[in-house]
Amino acid sequence: MSSLRFKVVQEAFDRKAVEVKLPAERPEVYYASAVFNRRSMFEYLPRDTYDQLIQAITEKKPISREVADEVAEGMKRWAIDHGARHYTHWFHPLTDGTAEKHDAFIEHDGKGGVIEKFTGKLLVQQEPDASSFPNGGIRNTFEARGYSAWDISSPAFIVDGTLCIPTIFISYTGESLDYKTPLLRALNAVDEAATKVARYFDPEVKHVTSFLGWEQEYFLVDEALYSARPDLLMTGRTLMGHESPKNQQLEDHYFGAIPSRVEAFMLDLEIECHRLGIPAKTRHNEVAPNQFELAPIYEETNLANDHNLLLMSLMSEVARRHNFRVLLHEKPFKGVNGSGKHNNWSLGTDRGVQLFAPGRTPEQNLQFITFIANVMKAVHTHNALLKASIMSATNAHRLGANEAPPAIISIFTGTQLANVLDRIANADDATLQDLAHRESVSMGLAQIPELLLDNTDRNRTSPFAFTGNRFEFRAIGSSANCASAMIALNAAVADQLNNFHAEVEKRLAEGMSLNNALLAEVKKILRESEAIHFDGNGYSDRWIEEAQRRGLDCETSAPKIFDAYLSNQSIEMFGRTKVFTPIELKARNEVKWEMYTKKIQIEARVLGDLALNHIVPVATRYQSMLVDNLVKLRTLFGDDEQISAQDLETIQHISEHVTAIKAEVQAMVDARKQANAIDDNERDKAIAYHDNVAPHMETIRYHIDKLELMVDNEMWPLPKYRELLFIR
Ligand code: ADP
Ligand code: MG
């Protein structure tokens, strides 16, 4: 065997589980011990500072400079007591992932020494040198610098001796350069809009909160094998590799026993999560070999998203302690299920009512139907935008395959809910009148949650499913920042709820009763959004035709899918909800196209190098061994065709594949050059990469994978799928 491959496979094979140091206490003792939460605030802040901070958080108001100074002092003392030496503003730039710049607490004391100091000014606002973060030209256009500002709604925490302060990141002209700013704006918008509508049912409602429960899927690979695969190392996915004879056909991995090395990793990760206040709850194997999932208890959306981002970096770090590498890429292995990140999403009032859960009283049921109908309408109107919100170069591999949500957004409701909605949508005036009477609005809704929750194999082919008391947006990619989808969804629903409220008010002004007005408007929007409802098989070809007929967005090219952000409809919706200005939308799309191009560009370079410098030389060497052998056989046995036929055929096939690889790599390089020459239009460039560069990669891979089956196993340089995919 190629000596490197032999060495790493052996190393991975021999690896034992790393022992996990269990904390002395139970989780309830160390839970959130690394978080400056209300408990620590109460302990470290003067009483009136604490009260003012909590009030500012609850009422979403800014804090005064004096309060900021007091908070900074208390936060510093808490952080130092918990071993921190540095602090950083922690923010979410437009790349996926997080950014931080660490500063020590020290300041000169004027006597040649230092003191550990932290002021309100440093806590509240900083200017990270941000020119290296993607900004889609905003900073060039406005010659403005960016600054980060404390998000008081998300608590600070300590990781590896550094106090991390969650912040938004914006330019001096006010444009957001991150995910958190627009997310907070969208959450505000949905709070305001949903509160107005929820007050029809309970005038005491003051706020509506958006909740998010994500389910993070990921793969683990042994670090030795990982580092022997330049493609994994540099692109996060395998650009070549023939399917292993055993994959997931037996489906024996799902809920199967977790290998001990992985179990140790999961335990370690869970402890770290709990220290950081991430309520990690479930962990299990996924469908594919080496694929796993972690899900926490759901939280308020902004916090849940901070926690997901923190988890993703935590995972990589903990994995290293266990000699693993985490793959968050949506499709690391061809022919094996990819990874997603289902976003379970709901709205709830400050009065403890879940707005997507059917209630016990007729009013609650009408409220439930009202909110469901508005979600359907919003998702219908903005289906193209929602798809754009989950699209990326990496997630594109997963969508549309027969394992993941299709590249068409539709809503699954389940039969019970569908029946209720149909009844309203098709009700004549008399029936509607009748339904509006308190007694009749129950409509047998009470069984819905049980029915759905019992039915564990809910429709998995739907990208957006109602699951009893929430919606599950399943199309999100495993490496994505959930904020992207949550911004689009919450903003779209907020806008729709505002429309709904305005229409109901009109009907009320015309003298309609409240129930009548609500039901009439619900009926109208249900009829308008019928096309979004689909409970059938999302993987079938018939659905694509049907969806086209229904006028749903069926675009499959990622760079063109991004266009949905710049449609008039999206620009107006984001304007009304104050989530994005047109300038921000334009700048962000530039970043999306640029990132798309860069990802494909890097993959194409890596593949070209692997093909020409790793695979072709080995294949040629093996081929010349065969030729050598053939010549010798012929000297021994003469031109006996029976003896030489097979070798001859293999030699020929290797030749064909090698020739094809060389030609394809050349063609790919040429296509890249042409695409790179487009330097004034990021969209066109991304489209060129999608249309003209990416297809070559598929062809090159096809030929390499064929060679993998022919070339002597001992000589093959890269760890094969069967070695990468089965942790012992
Ligand atoms: P499944 O794999 O069956 O979808 P999981 O238990 O893996 O279920 O994940 C369900 C996720 O949904 C969890 O994060 C859970 O906390 C979350 N969740 C449950 N109820 C709600 C809700 N009302 N709003 C948002 N998320 C919720
Ligand atoms: Mg799920």
Side-chain angles (χ1 to χ4, degrees):
M1 201 186 280
S2 134
S3 60
L4 175 66
R5 179 167 147 236
F6 176 77
K7 194 176 144 279
V8 296
V9 169
Q10 195 59 44
E11 207 178 318
F13 190 87
D14 290 344
R15 197 105 59 192
K16 297 276 178 297
V18 172
E19 207 178 320
V20 180
K21 257 203 277 133
L22 283 175
E25 304 106 351
R26 302 292 307 164
E28 54 192 54
V29 179
Y30 61 81
Y31 188 82
S33 57
V35 185
F36 193 56
N37 58 10
R38 291 188 185 197
R39 196 169 56 189
S40 336
M41 286 176 188
F42 191 76
E43 195 183 329
Y44 281 84
L45 299 182
R47 186 57 205 263
D48 56 330
T49 307
Y50 173 83
D51 287 342
Q52 288 179 62
L53 181 59
I54 298 299
Q55 193 184 0
I57 293 171
T58 326
E59 292 172 10
K60 302 181 182 176
K61 298 253 166 64
I63 51 169
S64 72
R65 189 54 185 276
E66 293 72 44
V67 173
D69 277 334
E70 294 278 2
V71 175
E73 177 56 28
M75 198 187 271
K76 183 203 74 184
R77 276 197 302 118
W78 169 81
I80 290 174
D81 283 354
H82 290 77
R85 302 172 65 87
H86 294 81
Y87 64 90
T88 181
H89 273 195
W90 184 78
F91 57 97
H92 316 161
L94 294 177
T95 49
D96 287 329
T98 54
E100 45 202 76
K101 168 180 157 253
H102 296 189
D103 285 301
F105 283 117
I106 57 165
E107 301 278 346
H108 285 299
D109 66 354
K111 307 182 194 78
V114 291
I115 47 164
E116 291 197 294
K117 205 173 158 197
F118 188 50
T119 59
K121 185 164 164 280
L122 292 171
L123 166 65
V124 169
Q125 188 168 321
Q126 283 188 25
E127 283 175 43
D129 173 24
S131 50
S132 48
F133 295 107
N135 59 71
I138 280 184
R139 244 178 279 111
N140 303 343
T141 322
F142 292 82
E143 293 181 76
R145 285 165 303 172
Y147 68 91
S148 55
W150 183 29
D151 165 20
I152 59 171
S153 67
S154 184
F157 54 89
I158 298 174
V159 175
D160 287 340
T162 298
L163 170 68
C164 299
I165 300 153
T167 53
I168 57 169
F169 181 38
I170 45 187
S171 75
Y172 266 96
T173 42
E175 279 88 16
S176 61
L177 298 172
D178 67 347
Y179 281 110
K180 199 188 242 297
T181 311
L183 178 63
L184 290 170
R185 292 177 188 157
L187 296 176
N188 265 334
V190 84
D191 176 2
E192 274 177 32
T195 300
K196 277 193 295 192
V197 175
R199 279 194 185 140
Y200 286 137
F201 306 93
D202 175 359
E204 300 294 308
V205 171
K206 288 198 183 61
H207 283 292
V208 170
T209 305
S210 160
F211 294 104
L212 166 63
W214 40 262
E215 305 165 43
Q216 179 72 55
E217 292 182 335
Y218 61 95
F219 280 86
L220 287 174
V221 177
D222 185 90
E223 69 178 2
L225 298 169
Y226 174 88
S227 51
R229 290 282 313 218
D231 48 356
L232 270 185
L233 200 83
M234 281 184 277
T235 72
R237 75 176 178 114
T238 54
L239 301 172
M240 59 180 71
H242 200 279
E243 271 183 52
S244 159
K246 175 178 185 279
N247 259 343
Q248 59 196 55
Q249 303 91 332
L250 303 177
E251 302 208 335
D252 51 356
H253 191 67
Y254 197 61
F255 288 141
I258 300 173
S260 58
R261 281 186 66 196
V262 178
E263 197 149 21
F265 159 78
M266 286 176 162
L267 179 61
D268 213 354
L269 179 62
E270 205 169 270
I271 294 168
E272 294 281 355
C273 281
H274 290 166
R275 283 207 177 99
L276 283 161
I278 304 172
K281 187 163 170 75
T282 31
R283 53 180 204 196
H284 60 76
N285 287 355
E286 265 303 323
V287 180
N290 282 17
Q291 193 188 27
F292 309 95
E293 180 187 293
L294 182 149
I297 301 170
Y298 69 96
E299 300 174 287
E300 180 275 315
T301 298
N302 177 39
L303 182 62
N305 191 47
D306 278 357
H307 280 165
N308 180 247
L309 289 161
L310 184 52
L311 173 93
M312 289 196 283
S313 55
L314 215 53
M315 279 174 114
S316 312
E317 206 184 292
V318 176
R320 280 166 181 253
R321 296 211 285 264
H322 293 262
N323 307 107
F324 283 127
R325 286 292 187 277
V326 167
L327 306 182
L328 290 172
H329 193 290
E330 282 75 4
K331 191 75 181 173
F333 304 102
K334 192 180 167 186
V336 173
N337 268 14
S339 301
K341 179 153 52 195
H342 296 177
N343 276 202
N344 294 270
W345 170 78
S346 66
L347 296 176
T349 70
D350 56 347
R351 305 259 293 161
V353 173
Q354 295 256 15
L355 294 170
F356 303 144
R360 280 185 216 94
T361 65
E363 289 93 341
Q364 284 174 347
N365 279 331
L366 184 52
Q367 169 164 284
F368 163 73
I369 294 290
T370 297
F371 277 89
I372 297 287
N374 274 288
V375 172
M376 298 189 72
K377 173 75 173 157
V379 173
H380 177 240
T381 308
H382 297 285
N383 73 88
L385 173 69
L386 286 168
K387 187 165 80 183
S389 79
I390 54 93
M391 187 45 72
S392 66
T394 51
N395 202 22
H397 291 286
R398 177 176 157 261
L399 293 180
N402 262 14
E403 51 159 62
I408 302 166
I409 301 291
S410 64
I411 298 186
F412 169 86
T413 64
T415 328
Q416 287 79 24
L417 181 56
N419 287 343
V420 176
L421 298 180
D422 280 350
R423 259 183 73 196
I424 299 177
N426 299 318
D428 55 27
D429 286 353
T431 321
L432 222 49
Q433 279 286 347
D434 188 42
L435 281 175
H437 283 282
R438 294 172 141 250
E439 293 75 28
S440 352
V441 196
S442 64
M443 297 179 283
L445 279 169
Q447 313 94 302
I448 284 183
E450 289 77 24
L451 282 168
L452 269 164
L453 295 175
D454 280 353
N455 184 359
T456 46
D457 201 13
R458 306 178 290 253
N459 187 333
R460 287 184 183 276
T461 70
S462 177
F464 200 97
F466 175 69
T467 52
N469 59 0
R470 60 186 186 269
F471 286 93
E472 191 170 331
F473 194 4
R474 301 194 177 123
I476 289 104
S478 48
S479 71
N481 185 326
C482 305
S484 179
M486 287 295 112
I487 291 164
L489 179 59
N490 285 288
V493 169
D495 195 43
Q496 170 51 35
L497 286 168
N498 282 330
N499 294 341
F500 181 84
H501 182 261
E503 292 302 314
V504 170
E505 288 300 303
K506 268 190 222 155
R507 289 178 196 268
L508 292 177
E510 286 161 11
M512 255 192 182
S513 77
L514 180 59
N515 276 7
N516 274 331
L518 289 168
L519 271 168
E521 194 53 30
V522 164
K523 173 181 163 175
K524 190 179 119 221
I525 60 177
L526 282 176
R527 292 182 80 95
E528 286 165 358
S529 48
E530 250 161 15
I532 201 70
H533 177 212
F534 179 64
D535 280 5
N537 178 6
Y539 295 164
S540 72
D541 289 337
R542 290 228 321 275
W543 169 230
I544 300 180
E545 290 162 28
E546 165 75 17
Q548 248 151 4
R549 256 199 311 280
R550 292 188 187 189
L552 298 175
D553 186 273
C554 296
E555 180 60 61
T556 56
S557 156
K560 289 183 186 161
I561 286 174
F562 296 147
D563 290 347
Y565 273 102
L566 297 177
S567 69
N568 285 338
Q569 183 173 264
S570 300
I571 291 178
E572 282 162 17
M573 183 277 284
F574 282 128
R576 283 191 298 266
T577 50
K578 301 194 172 59
V579 171
F580 287 124
T581 63
I583 292 175
E584 288 174 316
L585 285 170
K586 225 174 135 274
R588 278 162 185 267
N589 260 32
E590 296 289 304
V591 174
K592 284 183 203 297
W593 285 314
E594 199 183 317
M595 298 255 291
Y596 181 88
T597 296
K598 280 189 180 151
K599 293 241 160 112
I600 310 284
Q601 195 173 46
I602 293 170
E603 286 187 349
R605 284 190 188 137
V606 173
L607 183 60
D609 169 54
L610 282 177
L612 296 186
N613 303 324
H614 292 66
I615 304 303
V616 167
V618 169
T620 317
R621 205 161 70 229
Y622 179 60
Q623 187 188 36
S624 69
M625 277 168 58
L626 291 180
V627 172
D628 206 36
N629 182 49
L630 192 66
V631 173
K632 285 176 184 153
L633 283 175
R634 284 193 175 159
T635 19
L636 272 181
F637 302 107
D639 270 353
D640 184 337
E641 278 194 17
Q642 281 217 314
I643 288 176
S644 53
Q646 243 198 335
D647 274 357
L648 206 56
E649 207 180 294
T650 313
I651 291 168
Q652 255 161 16
H653 280 155
I654 292 180
S655 256
E656 283 159 21
H657 291 303
V658 166
T659 311
I661 289 173
K662 286 181 180 165
E664 276 295 317
V665 170
Q666 190 53 52
M668 181 173 74
V669 171
D670 291 342
R672 228 161 60 211
K673 277 188 192 144
Q674 272 185 17
N676 292 344
I678 309 173
D679 56 4
D680 55 349
N681 188 322
E682 291 294 346
R683 179 177 182 272
D684 287 352
K685 194 168 173 175
I687 291 174
Y689 265 89
H690 175 275
D691 292 356
N692 307 331
V693 179
H696 290 296
M697 296 179 40
E698 280 309 303
T699 322
I700 295 168
R701 174 183 193 137
Y702 168 83
H703 291 290
I704 294 179
D705 290 354
K706 287 281 178 221
L707 283 175
E708 187 184 319
L709 293 182
M710 290 176 196
V711 172
D712 180 2
N713 182 49
E714 300 258 316
M715 294 171 73
W716 195 255
L718 304 182
K720 296 184 172 182
Y721 269 26
R722 61 164 189 263
E723 292 152 353
L724 290 169
L725 274 168
F726 295 91
I727 294 171
R728 279 152 286 254

